[in-house]
Amino acid sequence: MSDGTPADLFFDAAIGLLQRVRAEEAEAIGAAATLLADTVTAGGRLFAFGAGHSSLAAQDVVYRAGGLALMNLLAVPGAVGVDVMPATLGSRLERVDGLATAVLDTSPLRAGDALVIISLSGRNAMPVEMAIGARDLGARVIGVTSVAYAEQTTSRHSSGTYLKDHCDVVLDSKISVGDAELTLDTIPAPFAPASTVVTSALLQAVLATTAATLADRGIEPPLLRSGNVDGGHEWNARVFAEYRDRIFYQP
């Protein structure tokens, strides 16, 4: 590791990755935003899915101040983070064949909808099966993954494929295999993961572009406001009422 504090080096690494995705994924960001805007325009619904820590980026775009109200979380019980006991259960569930299909069969996802699937490695059974199943239903899929994993690891899905192989649009986070940006002679393993920072930024860039695309078409983007600013709750109530048939986190 070169000169600089670990904090400085991590910020440098994260900023470098953000600069890469900004430059190298601009076309994919635009394509993903167009796909989402097309879905909204056509009356479709929006969903986001991620397992384990990939779920953090999915949750970040659901019911979020400044975000699209139509984005819904497609959750797999036990796989939405580390709030289960043991925390390792979620990692095991990602490798279970058939679980994603069961979730899709009982979810509101249907033809004409769009599903964002976030999986850093894209190699486990769950995200691959989720993408295949969603497209079989007639939904369109945006994958957010690190393409490097498909080049350097083995797929854990029976088809031998990865998430990136079953998407309408792929956003490459550029995260290196292992998701650790720093090394130090005194520490035996790489450390300091940056995938959450980069993936969340990628998705927020997509949704910002989606909102602008809708506005360019003469459609008011269904955005949420913070409940901690005056008038925020009233604004959100209007949006919820107008789009209640496409929002599934409201009763």
Side-chain angles (χ1 to χ4, degrees):
M1 193 162 68
S2 59
D3 293 340
T5 69
D8 288 337
L9 293 171
F10 177 76
F11 282 125
D12 288 343
I15 290 168
L17 285 164
L18 290 171
Q19 289 173 332
R20 280 192 66 194
V21 297
R22 179 181 184 179
E24 299 173 20
E25 295 302 297
E27 183 176 348
I29 289 170
T34 297
L35 188 157
L36 294 181
D38 288 347
T39 302
V40 172
T41 302
R45 294 88 59 82
L46 309 180
F47 296 86
F49 163 78
H53 286 92
S54 290
S55 180
L56 295 174
Q59 294 179 62
D60 189 52
V61 296
V62 176
Y63 186 47
R64 184 63 189 264
L68 287 177
L70 303 188
M71 187 63 75
N72 301 277
L73 185 66
L74 186 62
V76 176
V80 190
V82 293
D83 59 337
V84 293
M85 183 63 71
T88 52
L89 175 61
S91 297
R92 295 191 178 188
L93 291 177
E94 282 189 76
R95 305 179 190 181
V96 175
D97 291 331
L99 182 55
T101 298
V103 169
L104 287 174
D105 286 345
T106 56
S107 79
L109 189 78
R110 66 187 184 191
D113 293 344
L115 172 61
V116 178
I117 300 178
I118 305 154
S119 174
L120 176 59
S121 73
R123 69 187 296 220
N124 288 312
M126 188 177 293
V128 176
E129 186 179 306
M130 186 75 73
I132 293 172
R135 294 179 93 185
D136 285 346
L137 288 172
R140 302 185 73 190
V141 174
I142 297 170
V144 188
T145 187
S146 172
V147 173
Y149 276 84
E151 300 167 348
Q152 301 177 40
T153 67
T154 302
S155 171
R156 289 177 174 151
H157 187 259
S158 57
S159 67
T161 61
Y162 298 78
L163 169 61
K164 73 175 185 64
D165 300 316
H166 305 283
C167 300
D168 296 279
V169 179
V170 175
L171 295 168
D172 183 2
S173 65
K174 316 294 182 182
I175 300 295
S176 58
V177 173
D179 192 16
E181 294 301 319
L182 304 183
T183 58
L184 193 63
D185 291 343
T186 55
I187 299 177
F191 61 105
S195 59
T196 303
V197 173
V198 177
T199 302
S200 292
L202 260 175
L203 284 179
Q204 292 297 348
V206 168
L207 293 184
T209 309
T210 301
T213 300
L214 288 169
D216 288 343
R217 296 177 181 181
I219 300 170
E220 180 185 333
L223 298 170
L224 294 174
R225 288 188 172 181
S226 172
N228 295 315
V229 300
D230 291 343
H233 289 299
E234 292 77 13
W235 172 281
N236 292 342
R238 177 183 65 82
V239 174
F240 290 149
E242 183 175 352
Y243 291 97
R244 64 181 307 116
D245 60 327
R246 290 195 261 175
I247 297 173
F248 298 94
Y249 52 84
Q250 281 284 102

